[in-house]
Amino acid sequence: MVELKTDTSMDAMYEAGQVVGRALTAVEKAADVGVSLLELDEVARGVLRGAGASSPFLGYRPTFATTPFPAVICASVNDAIVHGIPNDYRLRDGDLVSIDCGAQLGGWAGDSAISFTVGAARPEDVRMIETAERALAAGISAAVVGNRIGDIAHAIGSVCRAGGYGIMDDFGGHGIGRRMHEDPPVPNEGRPGRGLALRHGMVLALEPMLIAGGTDAYREEPDGWTLKTADGSRAAHVEHTVAITDAGPRVLTAR
């Protein structure tokens, strides 16, 4: 069931989204050659604590997971697409890093992700990140009253495919509100004019995930969480929580 949020609820979700934005900004600023992924997780934990927020990631265990998630960020490096578990890996020059973070504040959730490079960036990584951000912007632009879920999916997928990138076909965006994952699912590829009609008060997390090699295939690591590209190519992941309003899309996790 899709819950329509009131304007007051969307304002509260904005506050949660701003905590997420501050955490991601702090993590990106701290990310440097030699810094471990666990240290980045501690940076995010500090921001959440300072805001009086909790993490919807920490202890999260969906049906596919064999163990609860042990951190407040997903840290996915190079060929890891999403759901990377922070560990003692230390960042190296040229790494491509995707950080996904959530916050629970006042009973409402926010969810967002960024991708960036560490040290000397590879031009092809910069291009992929820019394409992911353009795909996200296209999806946000399509998130208007009167459109349908398929219009968002088509907007995102069209930008990704035009760039020559692969897309995981069974992972994408989602509704969000009291819980981090709610109905409806929001695919990263689809047909315009199809799916649930968008209405004022719907709040969606839109999250393009791009695979550089152009294939859609991926594999799961033994940790039961990390998803990596099947061909070993790099990946990028960006995300915003977006409210659909009569005045147009409102990005609740804008940084």
Side-chain angles (χ1 to χ4, degrees):
M1 183 179 72
V2 176
E3 177 193 1
L4 297 179
K5 280 71 177 179
T6 65
D7 292 348
T8 299
S9 296
M10 288 188 281
D11 287 343
M13 290 190 71
Y14 176 82
E15 296 304 320
Q18 292 307 290
V19 175
V20 178
R22 293 198 297 274
L24 289 172
T25 297
V27 167
E28 183 176 10
K29 183 177 180 180
D32 202 355
V33 174
V35 175
S36 75
L37 301 182
L38 283 172
E39 288 171 325
L40 296 183
D41 188 65
E42 283 299 324
V43 169
R45 288 174 188 252
V47 174
L48 295 182
R49 279 195 303 270
S54 61
S55 169
F57 287 21
L58 185 62
Y60 181 59
R61 188 177 181 181
T63 55
F64 68 78
T66 56
T67 58
F69 196 76
V72 306
I73 62 170
C74 296
S76 306
V77 181
N78 296 332
D79 62 339
I81 310 166
V82 288
H83 302 165
I85 296 177
N87 54 29
D88 58 4
Y89 175 84
R90 294 192 177 276
L91 295 173
R92 301 171 183 171
D93 189 50
D95 277 347
L96 193 165
V97 183
S98 296
I99 301 292
D100 193 353
C101 185
Q104 199 88 25
L105 183 69
W108 296 98
D111 190 9
S112 185
I114 56 174
S115 287
F116 55 86
T117 56
V118 176
R122 298 182 183 184
E124 59 269 29
D125 289 344
V126 173
R127 175 179 174 270
M128 180 164 56
I129 293 170
E130 289 175 345
T131 303
E133 291 172 345
R134 285 194 291 105
L136 178 57
I140 293 170
S141 293
V144 296
V145 173
N147 270 358
R148 294 181 176 271
I149 292 291
D151 294 304
I152 296 175
H154 178 72
I156 291 172
S158 295
V159 174
C160 297
R161 294 299 189 190
Y165 298 105
I167 303 170
M168 293 194 297
D169 61 5
D170 47 0
F171 283 87
H174 50 88
I176 183 171
R178 293 284 184 185
R179 293 174 290 111
M180 179 171 60
H181 289 137
E182 297 184 351
D183 288 332
V186 187
N188 283 326
E189 191 168 34
R191 298 176 62 183
R194 299 295 183 93
L196 187 70
L198 305 181
R199 298 171 58 189
H200 178 91
M202 291 176 65
V203 183
L204 308 173
L206 310 183
E207 48 181 323
M209 307 166 197
L210 281 61
I211 298 174
T215 176
D216 298 348
Y218 63 92
R219 60 183 176 85
E220 183 181 297
E221 287 289 273
D223 64 21
W225 279 98
T226 309
L227 301 180
K228 290 192 171 184
T229 62
D231 60 4
S233 65
R234 295 190 173 203
H237 171 215
V238 295
E239 177 184 19
H240 269 312
T241 297
V242 182
I244 295 164
T245 79
D246 290 328
R250 181 184 181 189
V251 180
L252 304 181
T253 47
R255 293 179 288 278

